[in-house]
Amino acid sequence: MTLAGYGQARRIRHSTGCTCSVLRAYLGTGLPYPGNSCSLSSVTRSIYVAAPEVQTGWSVIAIGIINALTREVSNVGVFRPLVHDARRHEGFLDALLQQPGVKSTYEESYGTTYEEAMRDRDEAMATIVAKYGAMKDSFDAVVVVGTNYNAATSASELTLNAQIAANLNAPVCLAVSTRDRTPEEVEGIAANAVDEFRRNHAHVIALMGTRVTDDNREAMLAALGKTEGVLTAALEEDPVVRSPSLGEQFEAVEATVMSGRPEQLARESQGGLVAAMTLPHVLDRLFEEGTIIVASDRTELIPGLVMAHSSGAFPQLAGMVLTGGYELPESIVKLIDSVKHELPIARTDLGTYTTANRIGNLQGRHTSSPRKIEIMRRVFDEQVDVRGLLSAMSVERADIRTPLMFEYQLSEMARRQKRRIVLPESGDDRILESASIVLRRGTADIILLGDPNTVKARASSLGLSLDGAEIVDMSDPALIERFASKYAELRAKKGVTYEQAVQKMTDPSYFGTMMVYLGLADGMVSGAVNTTANTIRPSLEFVKTKPGVKVVSSSFLMCMSDRVDVYGDCAVNPNPTAEQLADIAIGCAETASIFDIEPRVAMLSYSTGTSGSGEDVDKVREATELVRQRDPELKVDGPIQFDAAIDPTVGKKKMPGSEVAGQATVFVFPDLNTGNNTYKAVQRSSGAVAVGPVLQGLNKPVNDLSRGALVDDIVNTIAITAIQAQHS
């Protein structure tokens, strides 16, 4: 091609009006040219997140969209058109790529550098289009994150973002900061930004105000709504999200860490407090997750502050900075160490004023911790019409359902009607960590049983926030009297005295279950420490089963690579009768429906249809008929072998015309031995994630944990219990 030819082909205007730069050969990218850029998203759905200025706080939008997409599709990519240095990873892009469900690598997730864009915008544009075209077909959806305004003026960079969005044919979500602005100012900035994108043939589908306060939320929504043809939202900024970590504070004041575990430095600080008065007055001013700034020669204050933090009777601190550079006397060090505290303490040579100034002006990175990420996900879900946004992106829910998608859907379902879940085993660190995660996600309201000071102190030592949790002291005389009286009343026919009832209420399982019975909690999760029998027994004694249900059973939600099935009963009933099998089947079908799984129930046996006989087969056949009588609308078949239930080819051959064979979603095993071994075999051999056991048949939800349960297992079980409580 001649130079004249290059000049002619270099810029192509498509019929839609958008413009893209081309010529792979000239640029030497080595990447296939993706063709007409206007068809880039013909299969892959994408969205371009942009802002008209620096420090918009748009990370909440990028994180929120990624999280929303992950619930709908199995494969999400992230793309950043411009990065500062191709040789060094960019922190924000790394944080996005680390989100669950994001499958793109760092190398394929950026276009080119700011330096290249400043040198030759056309060449840079062609590289961006080519790299995007090379990666986008590998993903169901791609989130494109625009520039951060560190390389050019706002006006020119806004236009650059508009041109990139047009060339990638990605619909645009614009973020506009509302901080320190009137609604009129926000309206003007938003309108100008939208106009600029539209002038460059980019399609704006959403306009979101960030850093909104509760006081101005409605006014800002009204201002944003003046721009026609776009979805609008106003996102409040949680103080934790903009808070720096303790490690960032220590670094800002050039401090050397004296005590505290490295992982504690990742904890967010909610601000600094200068301890310049006597200890009683300082104690009155302590606040949760605050950083205490104290001169290192104020040795009368330092031990007292450490003791206050460790006691649990005062707010839990983030850390302490000692100013002035003085060494602590050996006697003071010995006194502090005797408290066995885990409070991070650092020393700086800077003065108190300088230290306080630096800490006070420090802003933290929005994506620097899992806690911040969870808060941003929750804020986005609560304050954005997510379904409307996905519809505008033309994202349809995938037919498949991966374990990750199911986990996110559990959280989403639980948040719709938040319920109170009591956790009796607060002495277990896994429970405290799970409670902290659930609170961050907004999945449920948490009630912990235990001594409040002890629980708070342990949580603080683990670097966990229990903000929003209710901690109930089981030694409260009023609660003991109320609970024991009710238990004695309910068990009077069994000869239970008030004194015996009081003794029962010292057991956390009984105490927690009574809270559920009396409506003080909506459900209970236990079993990390207690046995299954200890967890279930109180429920059987006074919560009782639902009307018409004669047996409590269990099911596992089996998250396969592309779907979720229900297996029951794999944990409770050793050798159920035909009538009990029918109860189990109906309970499993109800569980499936609660979690948006269409119930097609397979009553499993070693024989299919009428081909076999014998006591075990007859029991399953009788149970199948009982299920049909009790619920004529339910799709159920049996006896049926596992292969005929799950494999369409085998099912069609062995049981033609069946609505269940080959497409079962609920698998009811004839006995505990078969069920327990099968679910474990499937779990271990296929890599399936087994969530449960989920208890069925009780009037109110109580769920049991394995004593080997991981934190993720506990978090999921809490969400499941909360969802069950919505239906009880």
Side-chain angles (χ1 to χ4, degrees):
M1 182 180 290
T2 65
L3 286 178
Y6 166 70
Q8 185 178 11
R10 179 178 168 106
R11 187 168 295 278
I12 298 174
R13 185 170 295 277
H14 300 297
S15 60
T16 58
C18 76
T19 305
C20 74
S21 305
V22 294
L23 272 187
R24 167 180 65 84
Y26 175 81
L27 293 170
T29 62
L31 298 167
Y33 174 59
N36 186 334
S37 67
C38 292
S39 63
L40 285 178
S41 61
S42 58
V43 177
T44 302
R45 270 71 66 182
S46 62
I47 188 166
Y48 193 104
V49 182
E53 60 189 338
V54 70
Q55 294 188 349
T56 307
W58 66 350
S59 51
V60 63
I61 297 173
I63 293 291
I65 291 174
I66 289 172
N67 183 52
L69 288 169
T70 303
R71 298 195 297 262
E72 306 296 317
V73 300
S74 60
N75 202 359
V76 178
V78 171
F79 188 75
R80 189 114 206 236
L82 295 174
V83 295
H84 290 281
D85 189 343
R87 296 164 298 180
R88 298 176 59 187
H89 280 211
E90 187 180 272
F92 181 50
L93 179 55
D94 261 336
L96 297 181
L97 293 174
Q98 290 167 13
Q99 298 309 300
V102 175
K103 302 297 177 65
S104 55
T105 65
Y106 191 93
E107 287 68 28
E108 68 183 334
S109 295
Y110 71 87
T112 187
T113 65
Y114 282 94
E115 183 181 356
E116 291 294 327
M118 295 292 288
R119 184 166 51 243
D120 190 323
R121 181 171 289 196
D122 284 341
E123 288 187 17
M125 188 71 74
T127 302
I128 291 168
V129 172
K131 287 201 68 174
Y132 178 78
M135 65 89 68
K136 59 95 183 175
D137 287 336
S138 301
F139 306 97
D140 299 319
V142 177
V143 179
V144 186
V145 183
T147 67
N148 58 10
Y149 292 86
N150 286 340
T153 65
S154 294
S156 66
E157 202 158 343
L158 181 66
T159 302
L160 176 60
N161 275 287
Q163 291 170 346
I164 295 172
N167 280 308
L168 301 186
N169 197 30
V172 178
C173 175
L174 267 174
V176 177
S177 175
T178 68
R179 177 176 287 181
D180 299 326
R181 284 172 173 159
T182 66
E184 291 74 22
E185 289 171 332
V186 170
E187 179 187 342
I189 292 168
N192 290 335
V194 170
D195 286 346
E196 184 63 21
F197 273 80
R198 289 172 175 171
R199 273 196 299 272
N200 286 276
H201 314 290
H203 179 44
V204 180
I205 62 171
L207 183 59
M208 300 187 184
T210 60
R211 297 180 166 173
V212 173
T213 66
D214 188 51
D215 293 337
N216 68 9
R217 178 177 170 79
E218 292 303 319
M220 292 302 176
L221 270 174
L224 294 167
K226 299 288 182 63
T227 301
E228 297 181 356
V230 297
L231 181 149
T232 58
L235 300 172
E236 296 178 23
E237 186 175 51
D238 191 289
V240 172
V241 173
R242 64 173 182 266
S243 299
S245 69
L246 187 63
E248 289 173 327
Q249 289 181 331
F250 287 175
E251 183 179 351
V253 299
E254 305 164 28
T256 303
V257 178
M258 301 168 57
S259 70
R261 301 191 308 273
E263 58 268 25
Q264 291 178 301
L265 301 183
R267 183 175 185 178
E268 288 77 23
S269 169
Q270 298 308 306
L273 173 67
V274 177
M277 46 194 83
T278 61
L279 183 61
H281 292 112
V282 175
L283 293 177
D284 287 340
R285 288 165 171 79
L286 296 181
F287 56 89
E288 288 289 336
E289 299 184 313
T291 299
I292 297 297
I293 304 165
V294 57
S296 53
D297 61 351
R298 293 292 303 272
T299 53
E300 80 282 10
L301 290 177
I302 298 168
L305 290 168
V306 171
M307 292 178 66
H309 170 80
S310 303
S311 71
F314 292 88
Q316 300 298 291
L317 304 175
M320 182 184 298
V321 179
L322 306 181
T323 64
Y326 300 108
E327 293 282 347
L328 291 180
E330 187 177 338
S331 58
I332 297 298
V333 174
K334 185 177 180 181
L335 178 59
I336 293 172
D337 289 345
S338 70
V339 180
K340 294 184 170 49
H341 72 95
E342 296 190 36
L343 179 68
I345 301 176
R347 185 177 67 238
T348 178
D349 291 334
L350 300 177
T352 300
Y353 176 81
T354 303
T355 300
N357 220 21
R358 288 189 183 184
I359 287 177
N361 292 324
L362 189 63
Q363 289 274 327
R365 289 189 298 114
H366 284 197
T367 54
S368 61
S369 74
R371 181 185 181 189
K372 290 183 177 182
I373 297 291
E374 290 290 356
I375 290 172
M376 287 191 287
R377 288 171 178 163
R378 176 171 54 80
V379 167
F380 189 87
D381 279 351
E382 291 176 352
Q383 300 179 6
V384 174
D385 177 7
V386 175
R387 183 54 51 193
L389 181 63
L390 295 178
S391 177
M393 289 176 60
S394 300
V395 174
E396 298 178 0
R397 180 163 290 191
D399 293 332
I400 64 172
R401 205 174 191 187
T402 67
L404 182 61
M405 290 168 66
F406 184 63
E407 181 180 341
Y408 277 118
Q409 288 164 12
L410 285 179
S411 296
E412 185 180 35
M413 293 168 71
R415 282 196 295 265
R416 289 173 189 167
Q417 300 176 30
K418 197 181 292 186
R419 293 292 187 260
R420 297 163 298 169
I421 306 301
V422 59
L423 308 178
E425 301 164 318
S426 65
D428 191 295
D429 290 350
R430 294 169 297 168
I431 296 295
L432 296 181
E433 186 175 352
S434 301
S436 180
I437 292 171
V438 168
L439 290 167
R440 289 201 308 263
R441 292 181 180 177
T443 307
D445 292 324
I446 294 295
I447 303 170
L448 292 163
L449 301 186
D451 175 67
N453 291 338
T454 302
V455 173
K456 289 178 182 178
R458 183 56 185 165
S460 179
S461 70
L462 296 170
L464 302 173
S465 172
L466 295 178
D467 186 32
E470 181 183 356
I471 304 174
V472 175
D473 191 344
M474 290 177 54
S475 64
D476 185 329
L479 290 177
I480 291 174
E481 193 280 330
R482 180 183 178 186
F483 291 3
S485 297
K486 177 55 68 174
Y487 182 77
E489 175 190 330
L490 295 170
R491 302 291 289 172
K493 292 183 179 179
K494 299 291 183 180
V496 174
T497 66
Y498 176 78
E499 289 73 22
Q500 291 171 325
V502 169
Q503 185 60 36
K504 283 289 187 184
M505 290 305 126
T506 63
D507 185 325
S509 293
Y510 275 88
F511 194 99
T513 305
M514 185 58 73
M515 291 188 73
V516 174
Y517 179 82
L518 293 173
L520 302 177
D522 300 307
M524 184 178 82
V525 174
S526 185
V529 178
N530 294 296
T531 65
T532 297
N534 282 347
T535 299
I536 298 176
R537 188 181 297 113
S539 301
L540 296 177
E541 287 185 7
F542 54 91
V543 172
K544 303 291 188 180
T545 57
K546 295 178 180 178
V549 177
K550 297 183 179 179
V551 64
V552 174
S553 62
S554 74
S555 62
F556 279 90
L557 300 169
M558 300 296 293
C559 303
M560 317 301 284
S561 61
D562 59 352
R563 69 186 189 279
V564 180
D565 294 330
V566 178
Y567 286 15
D569 177 358
C570 306
V572 178
N573 297 287
N575 191 26
T577 64
E579 189 173 32
Q580 289 171 332
L581 267 182
D583 269 357
I584 293 167
I586 289 174
C588 288
E590 290 177 353
T591 297
S593 296
I594 286 173
F595 297 103
D596 289 338
I597 303 165
E598 183 186 355
R600 294 187 291 272
V601 184
M603 306 294 288
L604 298 174
S605 178
Y606 60 77
S607 159
T608 295
T610 59
S611 64
S613 62
E615 184 179 343
D616 291 338
V617 179
D618 291 340
K619 180 179 75 171
V620 174
R621 187 174 289 115
E622 182 185 350
T624 304
E625 290 305 315
L626 288 172
V627 173
R628 287 171 175 157
Q629 292 171 20
R630 290 173 58 179
D631 190 351
E633 300 299 317
L634 181 62
K635 295 176 182 177
V636 60
D637 230 332
I640 186 171
Q641 294 162 287
F642 190 90
D643 60 343
I646 200 168
D647 189 302
T649 303
V650 178
K652 188 175 181 179
K653 182 184 293 185
K654 289 189 175 183
M655 194 172 275
S658 170
E659 292 184 297
V660 174
Q663 51 185 335
T665 58
V666 177
F667 299 82
V668 179
F669 295 92
D671 54 66
L672 181 60
N673 182 51
T674 306
N676 192 270
N677 278 293
T678 302
Y679 104 78
K680 288 180 179 177
V682 172
Q683 180 187 26
R684 299 299 179 186
S685 62
S686 71
V689 177
V691 180
V694 179
L695 295 185
Q696 306 164 159
L698 290 167
N699 273 314
K700 295 188 177 183
V702 172
N703 279 311
D704 179 44
L705 297 167
S706 162
R707 276 170 284 179
L710 303 176
V711 169
D712 284 347
D713 300 328
I714 300 170
V715 170
N716 287 335
T717 303
I718 293 171
I720 284 168
T721 308
I723 295 165
Q724 286 181 306
Q726 296 171 0
H727 296 265
S728 64

